[in-house]
């Protein structure tokens, strides 16, 4: 028996409310999305083997040739959507997002959580099955995979579908870009929501300090005043690298600044517009 | 060049330099920790900046520390000082020029000598003196002398004196020169310009005291070193004819004061005009010895040795005495020929005089009977031995002339001698009146009475070492010729000739008595030269003693002339064993040299030589009665200047010969520059 924690239930309700508000705002005055219905087409026969469903036996063939054969069909899948949420430690930082749960204090993860919920709500409202994959992190949901409702297809078997990655992408691209390449060969629709905290990327801090990653590793002594200009150059180069890599693998890049409204990140995907460059960050 | 600090305690502020260093280190490791979600970007940035930033950080630290150190240095007021003169000469209105015209200043210099260089520099300094400056001139070659009795404003006088300056052969009298300068300044402040090559191992050290006194009285000594670098000079330090029995060679000691090894020819010039040349290898800064063999027969006189050297020619030649080389012909008159040679009176004497035969030895004895005295010749013989001659009275006049001309006569006693045949006829010749032979009392019963130990201060015995003199103690005698009363100044009342006892037997009996007559001497040996009265011929000392007797009596040098040595610029004195004669001193250039004499029974003669070479003392046109070898001062040949005058002056009062510059403002400027530079670097880094 599962005892639901009231705090968790409240958090979910809050999350639902935020998602509803955002999606309704986005869809207000818009068009209904495409409805994908079930469809079955004959493919071929195969010899019956124990365990096959008797419902699939071709009785006519049995009658004519006294052979037990099973009809096989090509199944036209639904638009299966998998939301991949980055829950790694690096997302626990950030203070600039008003679009987050109060308990998460405006962190990047809080923003990512709301964004994921909103996206899921939107897709569900579009009657698309939605699954959730949580990457990294720790706690009850870490590493969880929630399959898309309405079928047993796996991500790897998707011939058509949507994979939405919500992450700050704070790993060296050469580490995860090859995985993206393998995914792109299965022709999914890949959308990457790049969660970014403006204060972090502009080094908007006052005093020199030892900066360290919540994921561990060596702390670096940084004077933010002196380092900010240099970091801007590094940031621009990194973003160019990301965009180039994603474009190469037919992925779509959506910047998600935590200090901007959620629809600023979702609208380009939903409406099909290109993301607007961030004026505060110049090339971003 | 020295660096000093006027406020050294300010250096303690240097501890402040730790401040920037600690701050820099503290800055590198902030204490506050901030979780950061974009560490990947920071790592990329740090990697990109690491090298550049490290350089900047170190540059910043260095600049800050330097700024502080320069500031501290400025507070300590550093002062740089180095040897140097005041900007202008004549600031005190009095200037004394000391010019070294000593021998060493004749060293060759580009187009002239060191003296001409010093003269030109002194003239140049003279021209630059402010109008009205009082000036004086002192020369320090030989004996220091003022060329201006007082300081004078008529610089033309000094200019003329400098233009007509001539080199001397004297030593550097720097001490005297400083004394004269002090006298000229008369206690007032003034500058003393010293133009010298500082040659001589003790020139500067001897002048230290006077230098201090001059500085104490207000003199500002400004050395003007005038020397060749590197130094170079060869000289003959010493030349000496072997004075052993064998003789025959001149030993030369040659020095090389230069910095490179050289091989130089050395020539020995003999009194007869012949020359002998040898080559000597001279190490840098060292000496070498060379022996030159002279011919078997060379007349005595002053010889010279000269090394070929163009750097300083004035000291190339060294003059030295060369005794007569070759056999001295000695007449030995045998007063008691025996039946066999061994029984002869002069058998032992003849062999002692010529142990290797006359051709090889220094003495060529000619043994004759008493009648052979008729052949005595001053030109042919130098010494006559009369051994137990019964009656020499027929040749008394001949013997007297022989002695007065410089010859030597030795009488030895024996049974044949009688007072009657000696005392009156040979009264002008004999050292003492003879009496009867008498036996000595032999208290030890050892066969005779031994001789007393000879006095080494006597010229006759100075050639004998202590062991040699002890050998005389083995000579014994049983009998001697008794002597009548005589005084140390002569046994006749009218004679002025000197008489002295050179040696005695134990108990006081005279053994050897000398009498000087004219330029010669007469000796009386109161025992016998054979074994009749004593054991002398059997003793080892008999041979060198008889040889020495011949040399002593004039067999060494021609005419028995007295010999002396002197140095240019220094008073040279000698004593002649006669008085009452008019003497003439002739220099090496043939000119008469002024001298001072004190006449008595002997003659004291002194003079100041100005030139090196052979000086002769003569009576009229007769052969020289004295020869003086005068040389240049040896210390002037050492041109290496071991102790510079500049250092000696600085040791007394460094401020006199130093120039200063204060570095405080420079250090402050550097500190400000470093501060600005670090600000620029910091700003550039932060932007």
């Amino acid at each position: 028996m599962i005892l639901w924690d009231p705090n968790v239930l409240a958090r979910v309700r809050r999350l639902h409310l935020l998602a509803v508000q955002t999606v309704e705002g986005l869809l207000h005055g818009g068009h209904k999305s495409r409805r994908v219905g079930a469809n079955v087409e004959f493919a071929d026969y195969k010899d019956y083997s124990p365990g096959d469903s008797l419902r699939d036996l071709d009785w006519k063939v049995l009658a004519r040739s006294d052979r037990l054969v099973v009809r096989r069909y090509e199944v036209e899948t639904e638009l299966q959507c998998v939301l991949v949420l980055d829950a790694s430690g690096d997302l626990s930082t950030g203070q600039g997002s008003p679009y987050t749960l109060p308990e998460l204090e405006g962190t990047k993860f809080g923003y990512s959580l709301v964004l994921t919920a909103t996206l899921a709500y939107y897709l569900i409202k579009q009657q698309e099955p939605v699954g959730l994959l949580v990457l990294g992190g720790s706690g009850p949901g870490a590493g969880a995979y929630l399959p898309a409702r309405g079928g047993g297809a796996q991500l790897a078997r998707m011939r058509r579908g949507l994979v939405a990655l919500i992450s700050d992408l704070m790993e060296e691209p050469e580490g995860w870009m090859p995985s993206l390449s393998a995914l792109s060969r299965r022709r999914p629709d890949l959308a990457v929501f790049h969660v970014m905290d403006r204060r972090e990327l502009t080094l908007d801090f006052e005093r020199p300090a030892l900066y360290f990653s919540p994921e561990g590793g060596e702390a670096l002594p940084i004077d933010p005043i002196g380092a900010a200009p240099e970091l801007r150059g590094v940031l621009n180069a990194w973003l160019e690298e990301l965009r180039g890599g994603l474009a190469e693998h037919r992925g779509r890049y959506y910047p998600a600044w935590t200090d901007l409204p959620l629809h600023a990140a979702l609208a380009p995907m939903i409406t099909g517009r290109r993301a607007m460059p961030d004026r505060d960050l110049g090339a971003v | 060049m020295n660096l000093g600090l006027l406020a050294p305690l300010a250096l303690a502020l240097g501890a402040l330099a730790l401040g920037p260093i600690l701050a820099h280190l503290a800055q590198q490791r902030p204490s506050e920790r901030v979780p950061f979600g974009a560490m990947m970007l920071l790592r990329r940035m740090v990697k990109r900046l690491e090298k550049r930033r490290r350089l900047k950080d170190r540059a910043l630290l260095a600049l800050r520390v330097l700024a502080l150190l320069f500031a501290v240095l400025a507070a300590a007021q550093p002062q740089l000082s180095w040897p140097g003169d005041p900007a202008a000469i004549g600031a005190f209105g009095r200037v004394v020029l000391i010019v070294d015209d000593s021998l060493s200043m004749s060293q060759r210099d580009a187009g002239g000598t060191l003296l001409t260089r010093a003269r030109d520099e002194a003239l140049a300094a003279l021209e630059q003196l402010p109008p009205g400056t009082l000036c004086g001139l002192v020369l320090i070659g030989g004996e220091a002398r003022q060329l201006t009795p007082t300081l004078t404003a008529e610089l033309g006088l000094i200019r003329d004196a400098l233009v007509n300056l001539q080199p001397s052969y004297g030593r550097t009298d720097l001490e005297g020169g400083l004394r004269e300068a002090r006298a000229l300044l008369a206690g007032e402040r003034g500058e003393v310009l010293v133009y010298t090559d500082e040659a001589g191992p003790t020139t500067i050290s001897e002048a230290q005291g006077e230098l201090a006194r001059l500085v104490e009285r207000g003199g500002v000594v400004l050395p003007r070193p005038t020397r060749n670098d590197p130094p170079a000079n060869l000289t003959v330090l010493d030349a000496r004819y072997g004075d052993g029995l064998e003789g025959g060679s001149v030993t030369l000691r040659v020095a090389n004061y230069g910095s490179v090894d050289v091989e130089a020819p050395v020539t020995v010039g003999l009194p007869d005009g012949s020359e002998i040349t040898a080559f000597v290898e001279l190490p840098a800064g060292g000496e070498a010895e060379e022996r030159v063999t002279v011919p078997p027969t060379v007349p005595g006189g002053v010889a010279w040795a000269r090394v070929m050297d163009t750097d300083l020619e004035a000291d190339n030649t060294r003059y030295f005495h060369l005794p007569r080389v070759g056999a001295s012909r000695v007449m030995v008159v045998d007063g008691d020929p025996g039946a066999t040679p061994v029984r002869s009176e002069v058998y032992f004497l003849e062999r002692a005089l010529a142990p290797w035969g006359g051709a090889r030895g220094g003495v060529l004895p000619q043994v004759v009977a008493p009648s052979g005295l008729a052949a005595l010749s001053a030109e042919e013989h130098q010494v006559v031995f009369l051994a137990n001659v019964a009656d020499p009275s027929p040749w008394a006049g001949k013997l007297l002339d022989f002695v007065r001309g410089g010859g030597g006569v030795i009488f030895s006693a024996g049974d044949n001698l009688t007072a009657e045949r000696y005392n009156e006829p040979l009264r002008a010749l004999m050292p003492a009146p003879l009496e009867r032979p008498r036996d000595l009392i032999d208290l030890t019963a050892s066969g005779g009475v031994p001789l007393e130990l000879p006095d080494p201060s006597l010229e006759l015995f100075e050639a004998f070492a202590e062991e040699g003199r002890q050998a005389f103690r083995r000579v014994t005698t049983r009998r001697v010729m008794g002597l009548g009363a005589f005084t140390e100044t002569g046994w006749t009342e009218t004679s002025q000739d000197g008489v002295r006892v050179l040696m005695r037997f134990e108990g006081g009996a005279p053994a050897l008595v000398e009498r000087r007559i004219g330029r010669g001497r007469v000796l009386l040996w109161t025992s016998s030269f054979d074994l009749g009265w004593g054991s002398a011929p059997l003793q080892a000392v008999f041979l060198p003693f008889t040889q020495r007797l011949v040399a002593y009596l004039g067999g060494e040098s021609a005419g028995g002339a007295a010999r002396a040595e002197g140095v240019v610029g220094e008073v040279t004195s000698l004593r002649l064993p006669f008085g009452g004669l008019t003497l003439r001193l002739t220099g090496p250039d043939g000119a008469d040299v002024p001298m001072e004499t004190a006449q008595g029974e002997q003659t004291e003669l002194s003079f100041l030589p100005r030139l090196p070479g052979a000086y002769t003392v003569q009576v009229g046109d007769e052969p020289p009665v004295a020869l003086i070898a005068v040389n240049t001062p040896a210390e002037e040949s050492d041109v290496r200047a071991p102790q510079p005058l500049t250092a000696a002056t600085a040791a007394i009062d460094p401020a006199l010969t130093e120039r200063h510059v204060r570095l405080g403002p420079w250090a402050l400027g550097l500190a400000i520059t470093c501060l600005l530079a670090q600000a620029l670097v910091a700003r550039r880094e932060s932007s």
Side-chain angles (χ1 to χ4, degrees), chain B residues 450-468:
Chain B
L451 284 169
E452 289 183 347
L453 197 64
D455 182 358
S457 65
L458 296 175
E459 183 185 355
L460 177 60
F461 301 110
E462 65 183 5
F464 291 91
E466 175 64 22
E467 192 175 341

Side-chain angles (χ1 to χ4, degrees), chain B residues 379-431:
Chain B
E379 287 74 28
E380 187 176 354
H381 302 98
Q382 283 76 47
V383 178
V384 179
F385 277 82
L386 289 96
N388 196 18
V389 176
D391 185 11
S393 58
W395 302 280
K398 199 174 187 70
L399 285 171
L400 187 59
D401 291 342
F402 177 73
V403 173
R404 282 175 174 163
V409 174
I410 303 173
F411 293 101
S412 66
D415 294 331
N416 293 341
L417 265 66
T418 56
E420 297 75 21
R421 291 180 178 172
Y422 270 81
N423 290 348
E424 278 308 314
L426 276 72
R427 184 182 185 88
L429 202 62
M430 291 298 289

